[in-house]
């Protein structure tokens, strides 16, 4: 057997070994039309105010054989904050809070995924908000088994929840109350509900949506 034949056999063996692993990894994107990022915070120490960020995107590199080897990245448009009150939304966009003129995006990039039960995971990552990056851990359920929507597009879903202290990211604004306590609580509860589509499908849909070049 010649050296050239030996090289061909070795290359073929490497391809055969790598192919199954490659097939197990898949890329998915968050479907903005069917996904939400919600938050809640205590108001005047007794009520809970809720809001959403209406624009959410992201990608998931999913390893179905070992989900702990997956990675995810989420981008939230801070300018899309919506608490159903225009005056309050304007204040939240100001330098007192999110300072969206200088920091229009909130991002999360995973750094570690650990199993936490059946279809449940602890996902730790870097959350960047208002120019400050801090680690947070989210409780994630999913992703769900793959299904096809009425148009034949594969769909999966996942949800994530977590708590954080807004002051850790420089959102310090507050007002003292006469009866004691403060106007806005420090602890924020974050919840993300996401539908996922295969990356190739999402990119094709974007291409079709673009107007034809003149």
């Amino acid at each position: 057997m010649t050296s050239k034949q030996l090289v061909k056999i070795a290359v073929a063996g490497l391809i055969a070994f790598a192919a199954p692993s490659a097939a197990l990894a898949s890329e998915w994107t968050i479907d903005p039309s069917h996904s939400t990022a919600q938050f809640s915070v205590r108001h005047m120490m007794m009520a809970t105010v809720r809001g959403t960020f209406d624009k959410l995107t992201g990608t998931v590199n999913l390893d179905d054989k070992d989900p702990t080897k997956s990675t995810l990245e989420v981008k939230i448009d801070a300018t899309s904050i919506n608490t159903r009150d225009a005056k309050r939304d304007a204040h939240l966009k100001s330098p007192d809070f999110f300072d969206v003129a200088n920091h229009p995006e909130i991002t999360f990039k995973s750094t570690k995924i650990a199993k936490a039960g059946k279809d449940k995971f602890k996902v730790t990552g870097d959350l960047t908000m208002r120019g400050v990056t801090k680690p947070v851990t989210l409780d994630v359920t999913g992703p769900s088994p793959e299904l096809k929507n009425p148009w034949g597009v594969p769909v999966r879903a996942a949800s994530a929840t977590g708590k954080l202290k807004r002051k850790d990211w420089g959102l310090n604004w507050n007002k003292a109350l006469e009866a004691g306590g403060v106007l806005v609580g420090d602890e924020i509860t974050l919840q993300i509900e996401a539908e996922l589509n295969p990356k190739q499908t999402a990119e094709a849909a974007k291409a079709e949506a673009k107007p034809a070049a003149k």
Side-chain angles (χ1 to χ4, degrees), residues 100-112:
V100 300
N102 295 305
H103 307 287
E105 275 191 348
I106 300 169
T107 64
F108 176 83
K109 294 183 179 181
S110 66
T111 56
K112 179 183 178 182

Side-chain angles (χ1 to χ4, degrees), residues 49-68:
V49 173
R50 305 180 190 278
T52 62
F53 292 98
D54 293 337
K55 295 181 180 180
L56 170 72
T57 60
T59 58
V60 179
N61 193 324
L62 180 62
D63 187 326
D64 273 313
K65 185 177 180 181
D66 185 357
T68 64

Side-chain angles (χ1 to χ4, degrees), residues 105-176:
E105 275 191 348
I106 300 169
T107 64
F108 176 83
K109 294 183 179 181
S110 66
T111 56
K112 179 183 178 182
I113 299 178
K115 189 77 174 174
K118 181 176 173 54
D119 298 326
K120 296 183 181 298
F121 300 88
K122 294 283 187 181
V123 179
T124 300
D126 293 327
L127 178 67
T128 300
M129 182 165 57
R130 197 186 160 94
V132 178
T133 301
K134 298 275 187 178
V136 297
T137 298
L138 303 177
D139 294 311
V140 175
T141 301
S144 65
E146 181 180 320
L147 295 175
K148 288 188 177 180
N149 66 20
W151 298 273
V153 177
V155 177
R156 303 182 81 159
S159 61
T161 60
K163 294 182 183 294
L164 55 92
K165 301 291 186 180
R166 63 187 180 91
K167 289 181 181 178
D168 290 344
W169 282 266
L171 282 77
N172 299 314
W173 186 91
N174 224 326
K175 290 283 188 180

Side-chain angles (χ1 to χ4, degrees), residues 203-214:
E203 289 176 345
K206 285 183 180 179
E208 290 180 3
K210 288 182 179 180
K214 294 182 179 179

